[in-house]
Amino acid sequence: MSDRYEIDLNVKPGDDLQDEEMAEAPQVKRKGRGFQSGDQRGDGVHSSAFDKLNSSDDSASGRALKSIEGWIVLITGVHEEATEEDILDKFGEYGEVKNVHLNLDRRTGYVKGYVLVEYEKFSEAEEAIAAMNGAKMLDQTLTCDFAFVKPTNNDDRGRRGLTTRGRGGHGGRRSGRSSSPTRR
Amino acid sequence: MPAEEFYVRYYSGHQGRYGHEFIEFEFHADGRCRYANNSNYRNDSLIKKEMTVSPLMIKELKRIIADSEVMKEDDHKWPKKNVVGKQELEIRFGNEHVSFETAKIGSLVDVQGSEDPEGLRVFYYLVQDLKCLVFSLITLHWKVGSDEMFDLLHYASKVAKACLGMDLKGYQNLTKA
């Protein structure tokens, strides 16, 4: 039986409900060849058994999740001419910075606007966030938070994305609704 | 009032002598992020990682996507997927849902030579920025040597393209002769 799922872009809202998981609000505008493609993939993000780091269940760190070796802080609002030195200058005060990822915009070569900073200890990361959130660097206001958090629920059944591929019988996330149990 | 709809997924891969070699990642509005990378070259195995990023990360991701204006583009003039492989970019952002599909892009030369250089350029750079972000997140969270994986897949696709569909092993055999 063919699993090919095709969508005619001229179809009226509500007609494309062969796969009920694909029910999007009728006012959603769709664009792209991917909606016509019937490619099926058994691997990739829609498969199961993904590695994840679990929290060590210490409530001291709140919702933050420790990475394999340290705590990763995300800073946004970074000025496009900021340098790694600027980052170390400001953030080195709260602990030894183990790693900095100050990614550049691949087109312009300027800083993309965010930086990821790693501290070894939770207390250092927490202090840096508290101190630097809302602070200014090169005249721009920074926003800081942990990069990784504990999952919001314990549903381990592999949430599906808004796949455009009709895969009969699979649970998908309905837009705008709270998550319903995925069917397997 | 439901939160603004948001979802991003990127896929790049091909089927070849080494099976299905690909990279794929997705972000959900609640921060759930998945990354999968398969390369059978040198018996590297399938990597599948899952993590939850904070709301600030999702906010920054939304900003990057919005700034790129990729949602304004359309893929109907972009090169179609072929034997060398394909890329998919699916984004749900508020009231719009795009699902672009195109061939692999080796370099700006491919972009400039296409029928929609401006649109494809937007796609090309956004994809690089997204990969860069994901690469940083994976590397920092897991301390895996992902740059090797990224470079390898990119290299393999370039070589295959240069040899008109020949895979990496075929090319190596050719150069040894």
Side-chain angles (χ1 to χ4, degrees):
Chain A
M1 178 169 60
S2 171
D3 277 273
R4 277 191 72 86
Y5 171 76
E6 291 185 336
I7 175 168
D8 179 351
L9 292 174
N10 292 321
V11 82
K12 294 189 297 296
D15 279 3
D16 58 338
L17 293 180
Q18 294 164 27
D19 184 359
E20 62 174 310
E21 285 80 13
M22 283 316 303
E24 279 190 318
Q27 68 267 23
V28 174
K29 290 180 279 184
R30 286 183 163 193
K31 210 173 12 167
R33 291 200 284 245
F35 288 108
Q36 285 145 33
S37 167
D39 292 356
Q40 303 293 319
R41 278 200 297 272
D43 44 18
V45 296
H46 298 305
S47 57
S48 56
F50 278 71
D51 297 339
K52 60 197 257 199
L53 292 179
N54 293 312
S55 64
S56 57
D57 198 45
D58 71 291
S59 48
S61 54
R63 67 198 232 300
L65 182 73
K66 186 170 186 220
S67 299
I68 212 123
E69 276 174 22
W71 300 82
I72 314 299
V73 175
L74 168 68
I75 302 116
T76 64
V78 178
H79 191 277
E80 65 179 11
E81 288 180 359
T83 64
E84 211 169 286
E85 259 177 42
D86 294 327
I87 302 298
L88 293 173
D89 237 13
K90 296 278 189 187
F91 289 87
E93 205 180 307
Y94 308 98
E96 189 194 336
V97 172
K98 296 295 206 175
N99 246 307
V100 178
H101 280 232
L102 181 62
N103 292 339
L104 305 181
D105 181 305
R106 298 298 296 263
R107 181 179 60 89
T108 66
Y110 286 112
V111 168
K112 188 64 190 174
Y114 66 88
V115 62
L116 292 155
V117 168
E118 180 179 354
Y119 293 100
E120 197 180 321
K121 300 196 189 114
F122 173 75
S123 55
E124 296 169 336
E126 189 184 37
E127 214 183 298
I129 290 169
M132 294 302 294
N133 188 33
K136 286 216 172 196
M137 190 175 73
L138 299 174
D139 263 343
Q140 256 179 231
T141 306
L142 306 174
T143 310
C144 309
D145 195 2
F146 286 97
F148 301 104
V149 297
K150 293 163 183 158
T152 43
N153 61 45
N154 291 320
D155 188 337
D156 249 320
R157 279 175 292 178
R159 306 244 296 261
R160 301 287 191 260
L162 295 173
T163 180
T164 54
R165 278 147 196 80
R167 297 177 67 192
H170 284 266
R173 259 179 84 74
R174 287 169 165 264
S175 338
R177 294 173 175 78
S178 56
S179 51
S180 37
T182 54
R183 278 182 290 142
R184 280 277 202 151
Chain B
M1 186 87 105
E4 181 181 53
E5 290 295 335
F6 179 71
Y7 172 77
V8 186
R9 183 181 61 84
Y10 172 74
Y11 165 90
S12 171
H14 65 275
Q15 292 280 0
R17 181 177 295 206
Y18 293 99
H20 183 206
E21 297 190 282
F22 69 95
I23 218 165
E24 188 172 35
F25 55 82
E26 65 172 11
F27 288 87
H28 292 261
D30 64 358
R32 187 79 61 109
C33 170
R34 284 186 152 187
Y35 167 84
N37 182 332
N38 189 35
S39 172
N40 297 309
Y41 180 66
R42 276 192 285 173
N43 295 321
D44 287 333
S45 53
L46 177 57
I47 293 174
K48 285 155 86 167
K49 304 293 187 194
E50 180 174 70
M51 55 221 176
T52 307
V53 296
S54 62
L56 183 62
M57 185 75 262
I58 294 297
K59 187 173 171 196
E60 180 66 2
L61 184 57
K62 283 180 175 177
R63 180 195 69 85
I64 290 171
I65 289 170
D67 283 357
S68 75
E69 301 193 327
V70 73
M71 305 295 289
K72 294 185 181 162
E73 301 303 332
D74 198 309
D75 63 353
H76 70 278
K77 283 187 180 167
W78 296 357
K80 293 203 172 122
K81 65 183 176 184
N82 55 30
V83 66
V84 174
K86 71 167 165 173
Q87 299 182 81
E88 294 171 0
L89 181 64
E90 183 180 354
I91 303 174
R92 174 70 194 275
F93 204 160
N95 228 24
E96 294 175 63
H97 190 171
V98 299
S99 183
F100 297 144
E101 191 181 279
T102 187
K104 291 207 182 186
I105 300 171
S107 73
L108 268 180
V109 172
D110 296 336
V111 169
Q112 277 148 10
S114 75
E115 283 177 53
D116 177 20
E118 270 120 46
L120 202 55
R121 188 177 301 118
V122 167
F123 173 89
Y124 177 71
Y125 281 120
L126 174 63
V127 159
Q128 289 190 46
D129 287 335
L130 292 180
K131 278 191 201 169
C132 198
L133 169 61
V134 172
F135 161 58
S136 289
L137 290 174
I138 296 288
T139 310
L140 287 167
H141 198 48
W142 300 94
K143 293 287 158 79
V144 291
S146 320
D147 49 353
E148 213 173 37
M149 287 295 184
F150 273 94
D151 289 345
L152 200 58
L153 278 175
H154 188 59
Y155 170 68
S157 70
K158 276 185 145 166
V159 168
K161 188 183 150 98
C163 301
L164 300 166
M166 211 183 285
D167 64 18
L168 189 57
K169 188 79 177 189
Y171 178 67
Q172 281 183 323
N173 288 337
L174 189 71
T175 52
K176 271 181 198 147

